[in-house]
């Protein structure tokens, strides 16, 4: 897991700008005749089960009757396809179905749960190139990084499969004769997962694979700017669950905006909330979850520096600093924001980086 899960405050600001631009561009593009999904060049999108209009709710069945949003390619600002988001009523229905599915999933032995996660990893492997292409098209990172992001989900599935046979608990001595104390770990229940646009597959995968193996069910709200990726990934996971005659609500999804995210943060039925995003929004989420004494997992912004000493190898420093700054177009929490240079190297390093 080479990349962290988060956005910095600066990147969150750029995301807000991107959203505002998309809102304006939506009006400009309203009269456009076509979507990229109908272009022969992008016919591969249909291999992921996508169409012009896509349901943004999954809880064992597909639906969505909320706001219709158009996903745009950030490289050319062309519309890709549309997704219908969840209403609050659909969110409520999804939470109820997900909680019911947990009663089934938690009773399945951990190694059997690991087998399902293994199948999810294999299903992702089969679609890794086309799904990586979607990440590149919708999020904006280069193709190689898009494929690499899906690979990270696959890798964590592999890790989780091993974990499914190693969830243990110590046997402790008791002060009572002829007795022993046995410690057993149990799942928490429903894990809500709110992810950011910069890693629309990997962040969900890291949370999902581990949560499933531990006996939890998941409710996912992806970023509003990458809804097609959320739908495509959910379709892959749902197919695995359906083939194994398991409730699809084990891995539910509700596309939406801040209203859905706020509902998840305040909902006492969400036993643990994993949030990935800016420090500013993370503080708000933390307060809402804490208000109900809930569990939370926050992956927030970074402010990272590379420190270069006098004896540093500049052949390593320069390309490392450049990639650390511009990889994923600078849209990740591990992005380098500061260089701390020894004064004797300052001019040389700056000159080489500029070059």
């Amino acid at each position: 897991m080479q990349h962290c899960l988060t956005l910095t405050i600066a990147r969150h600001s750029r995301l807000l700008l991107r959203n505002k631009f998309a809102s304006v561009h939506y009006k400009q593009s309203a009269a456009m005749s076509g979507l990229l999904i109908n272009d022969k060049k992008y016919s591969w999108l249909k291999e992921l089960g996508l169409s012009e209009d896509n349901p943004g709710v999954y809880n064992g069945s597909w639906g969505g009757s909320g706001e219709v949003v158009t996903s745009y390619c950030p490289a050319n600002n062309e519309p890709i396809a549309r997704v219908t988001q969840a209403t609050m009523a659909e969110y409520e229905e999804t939470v109820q179905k997900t909680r019911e599915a947990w009663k089934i999933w938690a009773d399945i032995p951990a190694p059997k749960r690991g087998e399902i996660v293994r199948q999810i990893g294999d299903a992702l492997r089969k679609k890794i190139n086309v799904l990586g292409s979607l990440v590149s098209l919708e999020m904006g990172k280069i193709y190689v990084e898009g494929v690499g992001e899906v690979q990270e989900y696959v890798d964590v599935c592999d890790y989780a499969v091993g974990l499914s046979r190693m969830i243990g608990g110590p046997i402790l001595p008791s002060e009572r004769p002829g007795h022993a104390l046995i410690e057993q770990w149990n799942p928490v229940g429903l894990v809500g997962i709110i992810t950011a646009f910069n890693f629309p597959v990997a962040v969900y995968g890291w949370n999902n694979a581990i949560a499933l193996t531990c006996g939890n069910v998941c409710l996912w709200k992806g970023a509003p700017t990458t809804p097609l990726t959320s739908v495509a990934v959910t379709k892959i996971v749902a197919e695995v669950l359906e083939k194994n005659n398991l409730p699809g609500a084990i891995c539910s999804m509700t596309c939406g905006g801040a209203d859905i995210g706020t509902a998840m943060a305040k909902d006492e039925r969400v036993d643990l909330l994993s949030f990935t995003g800016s420090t500013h929004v993370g503080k708000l989420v933390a307060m809402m979850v804490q208000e109900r004494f809930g569990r939370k997992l926050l992956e927030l912004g970074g402010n990272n520096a590379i420190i270069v000493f006098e004896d540093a190898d500049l052949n390593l420093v320069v390309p490392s600093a450049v990639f650390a700054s511009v990889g994923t177009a600078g849209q990740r929490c591990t992005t380098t924001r500061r260089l701390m240079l020894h004064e004797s190297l300052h001019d040389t390093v700056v000159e080489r980086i500029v070059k």
Side-chain angles (χ1 to χ4, degrees):
M1 290 183 275
Q2 301 163 340
H3 308 305
C4 199
L5 310 183
T6 64
L7 291 168
T8 61
I9 296 177
R11 294 204 304 285
H12 179 67
S13 299
R14 288 194 289 272
L15 175 56
L16 291 176
L17 291 172
R18 179 173 182 254
N19 287 340
K20 291 177 181 177
F21 176 82
S23 177
V24 174
H25 190 268
Y26 177 82
K27 299 175 183 178
Q28 297 172 340
S29 304
M32 294 183 65
S33 59
L35 300 168
L36 290 183
I37 195 168
N38 294 323
D39 188 327
K40 290 183 178 179
K41 181 180 178 182
Y42 300 99
S43 60
W44 49 266
L45 287 166
K46 297 178 181 178
E47 296 178 28
L48 293 166
L50 299 175
S51 58
E52 291 185 22
D53 294 282
N54 301 275
V57 177
Y58 180 72
N59 52 31
S61 59
W62 289 92
S65 57
E67 180 184 359
V68 177
V69 295
T70 302
S71 178
Y72 290 88
C73 170
N76 56 24
N77 296 311
E78 294 294 328
I80 306 170
R82 295 179 290 265
V83 175
T84 305
Q85 296 182 329
T87 63
M88 291 309 300
E90 288 164 336
Y91 166 79
E92 177 65 28
E93 177 189 15
T94 299
V95 170
Q96 292 177 9
K97 288 186 175 181
T98 307
R99 296 285 299 181
E100 286 298 313
W102 180 66
K103 298 176 182 178
I104 297 174
W105 184 246
D107 278 345
I108 296 175
K112 297 294 185 181
R113 297 195 297 258
E115 165 59 18
I116 302 302
V117 174
R118 185 194 66 78
Q119 292 181 33
I120 292 173
D122 284 348
L124 289 164
R125 282 185 177 93
K126 293 177 182 178
K127 297 288 182 70
I128 190 168
N129 292 320
V130 67
L131 187 55
S133 296
L134 172 59
V135 172
S136 179
L137 179 69
E138 187 175 40
M139 180 270 161
K141 63 178 59 175
I142 61 176
Y143 168 74
V144 173
E145 290 189 21
V147 172
E149 185 176 336
V150 182
Q151 183 64 52
E152 291 184 38
Y153 192 169
V154 172
D155 291 343
V156 174
C157 284
D158 289 345
Y159 173 81
V161 173
L163 179 65
S164 71
R165 293 183 178 273
M166 296 189 296
I167 301 175
I171 299 177
L172 305 169
S174 171
E175 63 184 32
R176 298 179 64 188
H179 287 73
L181 302 176
I182 300 175
E183 181 182 271
Q184 178 178 330
W185 291 87
N186 294 309
V188 297
L190 195 166
V191 175
I193 304 170
I194 302 176
T195 61
F197 87 102
N198 61 336
F199 284 90
V201 175
V203 170
Y204 175 65
W206 297 339
N207 285 273
N208 172 254
I210 302 298
L212 289 180
T213 296
C214 293
N216 302 295
V217 291
C218 300
L219 172 57
W220 182 20
K221 190 198 88 66
T225 52
T226 54
L228 295 174
T229 300
S230 298
V231 172
V233 170
T234 300
K235 283 181 176 289
I236 292 172
V237 175
E239 185 176 347
V240 172
L241 295 173
E242 291 166 6
K243 284 183 178 180
N244 287 275
N245 297 314
L246 289 166
I250 290 171
C251 294
S252 297
M253 177 195 69
T254 50
C255 291
D259 56 339
I260 299 295
T262 299
M264 292 173 68
K266 293 183 176 181
D267 197 335
E268 293 185 357
R269 296 167 299 177
V270 177
D271 298 289
L272 184 148
L273 183 68
S274 173
F275 171 82
T276 300
S278 70
T279 302
H280 171 70
V281 177
K283 288 180 179 179
L284 300 177
V285 170
M287 292 175 65
M288 285 186 280
V289 177
Q290 179 60 34
E291 189 175 9
R292 60 180 175 88
F293 294 108
R295 296 181 179 91
K296 58 186 178 296
L297 175 63
L298 304 177
E299 292 286 349
L300 308 178
N303 187 23
N304 308 295
I306 291 179
I307 303 174
V308 183
F309 292 99
E310 189 174 13
D311 60 348
D313 180 357
L314 298 191
N315 291 327
L316 177 62
V317 170
V318 173
S320 297
V322 172
F323 178 77
S325 298
V326 304
T328 320
Q331 301 292 333
R332 61 182 173 210
C333 69
T334 52
T335 294
T336 294
R337 298 175 64 184
R338 298 171 294 156
L339 287 176
M340 297 182 177
L341 308 173
H342 190 278
E343 59 184 356
S344 66
L345 300 177
H346 176 272
D347 292 347
T348 302
V349 171
V350 171
E351 179 183 350
R352 289 180 59 174
I353 286 180
V354 170
K355 183 178 179 180

